């Protein structure tokens, strides 16, 4: 069967003839792939800056943001049936007996660092005609979400961040009373890519006043943000300094820019008791300079917290699927607009290497 793979040694990305998946254990499921989204991580992999094949393979099948339809299930699988739509999670446990996290089925908190990530680290991904996996790593998706469920994985990143935010902010005495502690909760989203816009939707439905702040110009991203009730400001229109001044206290900063130095420096404008959520994974592109003393002073004096949660667990995927349903009802057609381009499997290698600007790009594997 066909798959798109990266050959790190050869420095090539191309279609390969990959072995057909099969049910090998009673808990296995074989899935026909429908859509695979791609993101900055895939671009890093296609540029040979990250990504590692399984030990016995010269190549890594790419793709970690997938939607598929179940073809066949093992004899002990009850929760999922042939014909169901499913989204796979990405991380798989390490083999260490001593890793309590993985032994409890929580590779998102793997202690050894020897976890696998499908399509990223030592396990083949989903950009193939079919794949097999244990049923426990597959989340069922309602049929109504067929067109947009490929956005589940990036939204699961957002859900993970928001769950951790909620955990931390239980510390505020008024949070337990269901109060916002003033004039409503305010969030500043840094960046305007798919994760930033999905985060904006998730924060708007949770009652935050959201401002999206972007270095890109206006255009479709601004239209999108405004259509869901968020404010959109470009760096050209306004300096962060003055924006922070007239927004009022910023309770949450949601970084979705790829963790650029600028974004981290923006923490200077985070309000008292605020939380800074990092979701971008910076490439290893050398050191940058920040006034650490100033930031640390602010953190200690203003009770601030920085969290960098990027590994969603199954619960975050389920929350994402629920929220997609909520967003689809609240803003009909909006999620479709987040998918800006679809390409075929044949065109995928080229699309990874030469990304178009715009929002989420998706490989259509099967109609
Ligand atoms: Zn991704
Ligand atoms: Zn582990």
């Amino acid at each position: 069967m066909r798959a798109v793979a990266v050959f790190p040694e050869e420095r090539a990305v191309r279609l390969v003839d990959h072995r057909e998946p099969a049910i090998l254990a009673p808990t296995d499921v074989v899935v026909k792939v429908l859509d695979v989204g791609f993101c900055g991580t895939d671009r890093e992999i296609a540029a040979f800056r990250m990504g590692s094949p399984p030990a016995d393979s010269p190549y890594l099948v790419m793709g970690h943001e997938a939607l598929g339809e179940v073809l066949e299930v093992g004899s002990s699988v009850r929760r999922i049936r042939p014909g169901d739509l499913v989204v796979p999670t990405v991380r798989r446990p390490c083999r260490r007996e001593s890793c309590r996290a993985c032994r409890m089925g929580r590779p998102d908190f793997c202690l050894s660092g020897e976890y696998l990530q499908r399509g990223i680290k030592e396990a083949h991904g989903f950009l193939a005609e079919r794949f097999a996996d244990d049923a426990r790593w597959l989340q069922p998706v309602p049929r109504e979400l067929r067109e947009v469920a490929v956005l589940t994985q990036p939204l699961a990143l957002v859900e993970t961040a928001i769950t951790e935010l909620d955990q931390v902010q239980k510390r505020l005495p008024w949070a337990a009373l269901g109060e916002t502690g003033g004039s409503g909760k305010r969030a500043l989203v840094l960046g305007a890519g798919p994760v930033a816009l999905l985060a904006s939707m998730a924060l708007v439905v949770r009652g935050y006043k959201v401002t999206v702040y972007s270095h890109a110009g206006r255009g479709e991203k601004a239209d999108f943000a405004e259509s869901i009730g968020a404010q959109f400001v470009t760096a050209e229109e306004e300096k962060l300094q003055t924006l922070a001044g007239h927004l009022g206290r910023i309770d949450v900063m949601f970084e979705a820019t790829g963790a650029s130095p600028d974004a981290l420096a923006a923490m200077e404008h985070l309000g008292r008791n605020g939380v800074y959520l990092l979701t971008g994974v910076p490439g290893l592109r050398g050191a940058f300079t920040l006034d650490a003393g100033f930031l640390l002073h602010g953190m200690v004096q203003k009770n601030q917290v920085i969290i960098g949660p990027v590994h969603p667990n199954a619960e975050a995927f389920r929350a994402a699927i629920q929220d997609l349903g909520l967003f689809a009802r609240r803003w009909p057609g909006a999620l479709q607009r987040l998918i800006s381009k679809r390409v075929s499997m044949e065109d995928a290698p080229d699309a990874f290497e030469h990304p178009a600007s715009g929002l989420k790009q998706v490989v259509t594997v099967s109609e």
Side-chain angles (χ1 to χ4, degrees):
M1 89 179 160
R2 292 180 315 150
V4 176
V6 60
F7 292 73
E9 297 250 304
E10 272 183 56
R11 297 178 77 82
V13 179
R14 62 172 179 264
L15 275 177
V16 293
D17 184 18
H18 188 59
R19 74 170 180 280
E20 190 67 45
I23 305 267
L24 302 174
T27 52
D28 279 353
V29 175
V30 174
V31 178
K32 175 172 88 168
V33 179
L34 302 174
D35 290 340
V36 177
F38 61 98
C39 69
T41 298
D42 298 294
R43 287 191 278 277
E44 290 289 304
I45 293 171
F48 321 108
R49 283 193 286 267
M50 61 183 286
S52 40
D56 57 353
S57 169
Y59 64 81
L60 171 75
V61 174
M62 294 182 65
H64 59 276
E65 303 180 2
L67 168 69
E69 187 179 278
V70 173
L71 286 177
E72 196 187 345
V73 300
S75 57
S76 71
V77 176
R78 297 283 172 273
R79 197 170 55 96
I80 291 168
R81 282 182 301 193
D84 285 355
L85 293 181
V86 287
V87 168
T89 64
V90 179
R91 252 198 204 192
R92 300 293 174 268
C94 72
R95 294 177 185 280
R96 296 263 172 200
E97 255 336 293
S98 59
C99 180
R100 186 143 168 74
C102 288
R103 300 292 71 78
M104 292 177 82
R106 291 293 303 273
D108 51 313
F109 282 128
C110 175
L111 292 158
S112 73
E114 294 168 13
Y115 56 81
L116 311 177
Q117 294 197 119
R118 294 201 62 164
I120 301 172
K121 183 175 178 279
E122 295 156 45
H124 288 306
F126 309 117
L127 189 41
E129 289 177 279
R130 289 166 287 281
F131 70 88
D133 215 333
D134 190 289
R136 69 182 165 140
W137 306 118
L138 301 174
Q139 297 305 324
V141 174
R143 242 326 126 176
E144 311 84 89
L145 298 177
R146 161 68 186 88
E147 273 183 76
V148 295
V150 69
L151 298 170
T152 302
Q153 195 273 346
L155 181 56
L157 304 178
V158 171
E159 301 289 351
T160 305
I162 292 179
T163 300
E164 299 219 355
L165 163 69
D166 290 345
Q167 297 271 9
V168 169
Q169 294 306 55
K170 281 189 187 140
R171 65 190 176 148
L172 302 176
W174 51 86
L177 304 171
E179 295 168 13
T180 59
S183 55
K185 298 178 288 185
R186 185 171 295 283
L188 185 67
V189 175
L190 302 164
V195 170
L197 296 176
L198 287 166
S200 302
M201 295 170 107
L203 290 163
V204 167
V205 299
R206 285 165 178 79
Y208 282 85
K209 288 184 218 159
V210 176
T211 302
V212 179
Y213 188 73
S214 168
H215 281 268
R218 297 192 70 84
E220 59 172 342
K221 293 171 178 177
D223 294 344
F224 185 91
E226 285 161 4
S227 75
I228 58 150
Q231 183 188 15
F232 190 95
V233 180
T234 72
E236 205 166 77
E237 288 164 350
E238 187 158 12
K239 290 249 175 299
L240 197 51
Q241 190 103 28
T242 56
L243 177 69
H246 65 241
L247 280 183
R249 190 189 68 231
I250 298 170
D251 300 294
V252 178
M253 281 194 180
F254 192 107
E255 181 284 322
T257 63
S260 67
D262 286 354
L264 208 51
M267 198 176 152
E268 160 185 359
H269 306 293
L270 182 63
R272 289 185 181 278
N273 314 320
V275 176
Y276 189 101
L277 297 165
L278 281 159
T279 65
V281 183
L284 297 173
R285 297 206 177 91
F288 56 78
T289 308
L290 265 181
D291 187 346
F294 186 80
L295 288 187
L296 293 175
H297 183 85
M299 283 180 74
V300 175
Q301 295 293 338
K302 299 186 199 159
N303 307 316
Q304 293 168 337
V305 176
I306 302 184
I307 317 178
V310 292
H311 302 293
N313 60 21
E315 209 171 308
F317 275 73
R318 286 192 288 273
I321 292 163
Q322 269 218 318
D323 263 356
L324 285 177
L326 195 68
F327 300 169
R329 286 190 294 279
R330 179 151 172 178
W331 300 293
L335 289 166
Q336 282 84 343
R337 286 169 54 208
L338 279 184
I339 299 172
S340 57
K341 193 173 176 207
R342 287 184 176 267
V343 299
S344 66
M345 259 176 122
E346 288 73 20
D347 293 335
D350 198 49
F352 284 133
E353 287 171 68
H354 310 103
S357 61
L359 293 164
K360 180 58 80 181
Q361 298 185 58
V362 171
V363 183
T364 301
V365 178
S366 179
E367 296 290 338

